[in-house]
């Protein structure tokens, strides 16, 4: 009996050690590349810390600093006149003509997310030892420490949401030995000056920044006087000892022991429909006031406010995964070791919580959601403009918002949809002569909704895809299901959902059998092969279109059952839903992507948009539509597992919905495959994985893979419908034991659960107002 008690105590201690072990990324040398640096943010202002000893380079970003100004949504006012010709060509099966005609239904490219600047702290410490650099996920704080010339230098960094400043605390172990210089530079147009212990920079973003994949003779970056978004940056050095001296463009601190550097950032962005140059906010005054207010607050209070604000979100969810623990080692070494097949539950948990950390850090600005790089971008010509790619990536950024208990972070994206609806109604009129609102492949901070392509140079396979509003609107219903916020559903969600459905109703036409389908239709970024060998992009009745419309229609009908305020429109939607072109299973047993059973140009293409109904949609299930689910599985098997980072995140979730925990786990491990930093040139051939700083490698860096991967961990542990919850639906053998608390389910429940040997041993649900869901656990209903 004593031996059994001893074993139980040991197991309890092991579980407690795993649970209580701080979650952090750490390294034994400074970062050389962006993909090695540590990122911080308060949901609007961001810092990327390299942690150098000679010079510490810190990239600065503001989520509202973009190129351009409000665009003209009527940029191609007669584009709709070409729609009948496109449809006529498709009716005649003339796919080359349809592809060509689609070019006439295009508009401008999106604008680009811009880097604010770089802060430099010069130390000239060359002979150093015992170097340590880390990022604490528990505190949203980075640290650097090392020894030089017989004393220890410590630096601490955090970006405060309550006080709206970036804080750097510097300290030397030996009195009077702390010395450094502060400089600022930017790739944008800017000016800088100093006064006493204060550095001030102000500048302007470009009025145009073409995408990186466009090759024009003229400069892709265009600045114009008195146009574009302004920015201001203020830097202040505080200390009780030491001396601050200055030049026109730098501050120097010497002879001290401890100092605090405060950095305040602001832009003139004042809304998607207001000129930042003519109607913009006073960025200079905002930055100044933020700095002045923070400078009156003691460092301990600044940090305490930061921690209290951050932890109220981060600490909602805890996760412990059992299994053989790895040795404690730097994060990049852990990734290399993990890539060899070694067990590392700590790393798997770290990646999950890192995804939640990133969302808290980059998505707290009303109406301005996380972009392709979240918040952190050092490039004036970022890959794919670091914009909002609405055919998967912008939505994938928010897959973890609800189930990992961060609904407040979802509001940035949901508020953005309100902006898109306004410009999207104009786009629906001018490009289709139809009601409702529509969104295409790309958008930006100016809520651009038109088909991109620079008025005829884009490929229809991506430029003309019109289902962005249909896809994004399902996030509105999901937010309601997880929060049960009926006021949100009534006042904001349903009107937007209805507008997206109105466009879809108008866009549908009957096929030869009277079934409703879309025409024209593209499947995001993929192409098909006709029997004659033509590589086509534009067709009709694509499965992805039909899946997104079906999901939206089902959501609208479910919302009307709650609100009971729009029966006439519900009747229209219900009638159309009954006539929608059904799913089709191809000769190979796969789910057809196209109206005809045609081959893909690339059978292993990174997009799997036609599987949308399985995930993130909810209308394809193992129980309710087993044949369609089986065809989706076959499609995934044909595609294989090697793909880009964000696509791996999506496929893990798809395998989880298929309740194949082993395959989901296999791909989760592959998502964490170590990828070397890009440096100057991106190697697109290396495939997806994870960089040393845990950023997702598309490659290059895209944050969507981080969010998709984190969401997938939750999806493997719990799945839900509005009426039921499924516990451990896709649990791999590697996670045979563990515990989780704080995950959310549809119906508004919060879950706590422990499991061992693959079986749930304890679970509980809480919900404001009480109640219990129907639960499928350990093979049966409870």
């Amino acid at each position: 009996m004593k031996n059994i008690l001893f074993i139980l105590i040991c197991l309890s201690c092991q579980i407690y050690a795993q649970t209580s072990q701080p979650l952090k990324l750490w390294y034994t040398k400074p970062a050389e590349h962006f993909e090695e640096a540590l990122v911080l943010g308060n949901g609007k202002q961001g810092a990327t810390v390299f942690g150098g000893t000679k010079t510490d380079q810190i990239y600065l970003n503001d989520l509202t600093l973009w190129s351009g100004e409000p665009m003209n949504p009527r940029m191609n006012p007669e584009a709709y006149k070409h729609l009948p010709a496109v449809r006529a060509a498709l009716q005649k099966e003339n796919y080359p003509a349809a592809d060509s005609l689609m070019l006439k239904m295009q508009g401008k490219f999106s604008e680009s997310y811009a880097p604010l600047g770089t802060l430099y702290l010069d130390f000239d410490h060359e002979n150093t030892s015992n170097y340590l650099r880390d990022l604490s996920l528990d505190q949203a704080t980075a640290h650097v420490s090392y020894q030089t010339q017989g004393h220890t230098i410590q630096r601490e960094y955090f970006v405060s949401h309550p006080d709206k400043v970036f804080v750097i605390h510097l300290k030397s172990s030996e009195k009077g030995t702390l010395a450094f210089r502060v400089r600022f530079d930017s790739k944008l147009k800017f000016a800088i000056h100093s006064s006493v212990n204060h550095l001030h920079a102000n500048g302007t973003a470009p009025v145009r920044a073409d995408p990186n994949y466009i090759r024009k003779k003229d400069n892709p970056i265009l600045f114009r006087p008195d146009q574009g978004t302004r920015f201001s940056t203020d830097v202040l050095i505080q200390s009780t000892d030491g001396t601050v001296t200055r030049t026109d463009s730098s501050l120097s601190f010497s002879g001290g022991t401890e100092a605090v550097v405060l950095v305040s950032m602001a832009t003139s962005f004042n809304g998607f429909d207001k000129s930042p140059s003519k109607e913009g906010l006073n960025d200079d005054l905002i930055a100044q006031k933020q700095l002045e207010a923070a400078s009156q607050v003691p460092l301990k209070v600044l940090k305490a406010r930061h921690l209290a604000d951050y932890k109220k979100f981060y600490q909602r969810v805890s996760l412990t995964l059992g299994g053989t623990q790895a040795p404690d080692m730097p994060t990049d070494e852990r990734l290399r070791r993990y890539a060899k097949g070694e067990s590392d539950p700590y790393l798997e948990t770290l990646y999950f919580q890192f995804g939640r950390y990133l969302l808290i850090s980059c998505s707290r600005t009303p109406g301005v959601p996380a972009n392709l790089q979240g918040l952190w971008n050092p490039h004036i010509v970022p890959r794919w403009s670091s914009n909002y790619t609405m055919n998967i990536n912008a939505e994938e950024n928010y897959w973890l918002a609800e189930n990992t208990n961060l609904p407040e972070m979802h509001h940035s994206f949901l508020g953005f949809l309100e902006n898109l609806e306004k410009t999207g109604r104009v786009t629906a009129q001018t490009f289709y002569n139809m009601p409702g609102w529509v969104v295409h492949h790309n958008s930006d901070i100016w809520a651009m909704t038109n088909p991109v392509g620079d008025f005829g140079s884009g490929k229809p396979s991506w430029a003309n895809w019109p289902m962005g509003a249909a896809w994004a609107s399902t996030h509105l219903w999901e937010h309601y299901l997880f929060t049960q916020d009926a006021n949100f559903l009534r006042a904001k969600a349903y009107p937007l959902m209805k507008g997206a459905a109105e466009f879809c109703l108008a866009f549908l036409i009957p096929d030869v059998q009277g079934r409703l389908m879309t025409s024209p239709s593209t499947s995001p970024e993929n192409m098909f092969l006709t029997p004659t060998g033509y590589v086509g992009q534009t067709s009709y009745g694509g499965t992805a279109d039909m899946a997104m419309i079906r999901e939206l229609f089902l959501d609208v009908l479910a919302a009307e059952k709650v609100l009971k305020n729009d029966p006439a429109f519900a009747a229209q939607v219900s009638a159309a839903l009954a006539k929608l072109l059904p799913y089709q299973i191809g000769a190979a047993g796969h789910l057809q992507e196209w109206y005809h059973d045609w081959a893909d140009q690339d059978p292993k293409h990174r997009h799997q948009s036609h599987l949308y109904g399985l995930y993130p949609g909810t209308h394809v299930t193992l129980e309710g539509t087993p044949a369609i689910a089986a065809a989706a599985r076959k499609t995934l098997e044909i595609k294989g597992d090697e793909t880009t980072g964000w696509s791996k995140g999506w496929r893990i979730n798809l395998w989880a919905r298929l309740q194949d925990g082993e395959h989901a786990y296999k791909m989760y491990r592959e998502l964490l495959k170590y990828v070397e930093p890009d440096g100057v040139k991106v190697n697109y051939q290396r495939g997806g994985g994870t960089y040393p700083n845990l950023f997702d490698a598309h490659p290059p860096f895209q944050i969507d893979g981080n969010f998709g991967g984190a969401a997938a961990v939750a999806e493997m542990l719990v799945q839900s419908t509005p009426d039921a919850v499924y516990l451990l639906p896709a649990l791999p053998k590697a996670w045979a034991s563990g515990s989780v608390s704080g995950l959310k389910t549809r119906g508004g429940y919060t879950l706590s659960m422990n499991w061992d040997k693959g079986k749930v041993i304890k679970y509980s649900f809480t919900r404001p107002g009480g109640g219990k869901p129907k639960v499928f656990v350990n093979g049966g209903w409870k």
Side-chain angles (χ1 to χ4, degrees), residues 375-506:
L375 170 60
W376 303 277
N377 166 45
H379 307 293
I380 194 169
V381 184
R383 292 295 192 273
W384 301 289
S385 302
S386 192
N387 63 16
Y388 304 120
T389 307
M390 299 296 293
N391 68 4
I392 167 63
N393 315 90
E395 291 88 353
E396 186 172 3
N397 281 359
Y398 289 90
W399 286 351
L400 79 164
E402 300 297 339
N403 61 357
T404 75
N405 211 340
L406 296 173
E408 296 89 348
M409 282 71 236
H410 208 175
H411 281 290
S412 294
F413 182 69
L414 302 179
F416 180 58
L417 301 188
E418 296 181 58
N419 301 342
L420 293 177
E421 187 264 348
K422 293 179 176 64
T423 58
R425 285 191 177 275
V426 178
T427 299
Q429 294 167 5
T430 56
F431 282 84
Y432 301 96
N433 194 28
M434 293 178 186
W437 63 287
V438 64
V439 179
H440 293 83
H441 176 237
N442 286 144
S443 190
D444 54 24
I445 199 169
W446 312 113
M448 189 194 78
T449 53
N450 57 274
V452 295
D454 199 23
F455 300 92
S457 64
K459 289 185 177 180
S461 62
W462 46 267
N464 292 87
W465 176 79
M467 289 290 119
W471 185 331
S473 291
T474 61
H475 281 247
L476 298 160
W477 177 242
E478 285 287 277
H479 182 69
Y480 165 74
L481 286 179
F482 279 88
T483 65
Q484 299 292 290
D485 186 344
N487 290 330
F488 167 82
L489 179 64
R490 180 180 298 103
K492 292 191 175 182
Y494 184 77
L496 293 172
M497 294 163 62
K498 179 178 180 179
E502 285 174 332
F503 173 80
C504 293
L505 285 171

Side-chain angles (χ1 to χ4, degrees), residues 540-736:
Y540 49 82
T543 303
D545 287 358
M546 305 313 300
M548 292 170 199
I549 293 173
R550 181 173 279 106
E551 187 79 15
L552 175 60
F553 284 3
L554 289 168
D555 291 352
V556 167
L557 293 174
E560 206 284 327
K561 286 183 179 179
V562 175
L563 299 175
K564 297 180 172 61
N565 63 351
D566 202 358
F569 186 70
Q572 293 180 49
V573 172
S574 182
L577 179 63
K579 296 180 180 179
L580 287 184
L581 177 70
Y583 283 104
Q584 300 180 94
I585 298 174
H590 66 295
L591 195 63
Q592 283 184 202
E593 186 164 0
W594 318 100
Y595 184 92
H596 301 287
D597 191 7
W598 287 342
D600 296 335
Q601 183 202 29
D602 177 7
K604 297 183 180 297
H605 196 271
R606 61 194 176 277
H607 283 262
Q608 45 268 332
S609 307
H610 55 310
L611 305 188
Y612 174 92
L614 178 62
Y615 188 93
T618 58
H619 66 265
V620 172
T621 66
L622 288 172
E623 293 177 342
T625 57
I628 306 304
R633 171 186 284 272
K634 183 63 176 179
T635 298
L636 288 171
E637 291 172 350
I638 292 171
K639 282 183 173 289
D641 295 340
E642 185 51 51
T643 186
T644 60
W646 65 261
S647 182
K648 286 183 180 180
W650 192 354
R651 291 184 191 180
I652 300 167
N653 281 284
L654 287 163
W655 283 110
R657 283 282 172 89
L658 291 170
Q659 299 183 12
D660 191 330
E662 296 309 315
H663 205 131
Y665 180 68
K666 171 184 179 292
M667 290 208 69
Y668 187 63
R669 290 192 65 102
E670 291 171 0
L671 180 65
L672 270 67
K673 179 188 73 175
Y674 180 78
V675 175
E676 291 287 353
D678 289 320
V680 178
K681 187 176 181 181
V682 178
N683 182 354
Y684 294 96
Q685 305 305 315
R686 291 178 298 177
T690 299
Y691 290 118
N693 65 354
L694 294 192
F695 265 170
D696 169 62
H698 176 285
F701 161 56
Q702 281 188 196
I703 204 166
D704 38 28
N706 288 105
F707 294 143
V713 172
E715 198 72 22
M716 293 163 73
L717 299 178
V718 58
Q719 295 174 24
S720 62
T721 71
D723 306 311
V725 175
Y726 300 78
L727 300 182
L728 304 183
L731 187 74
K733 294 177 182 177
W735 297 349

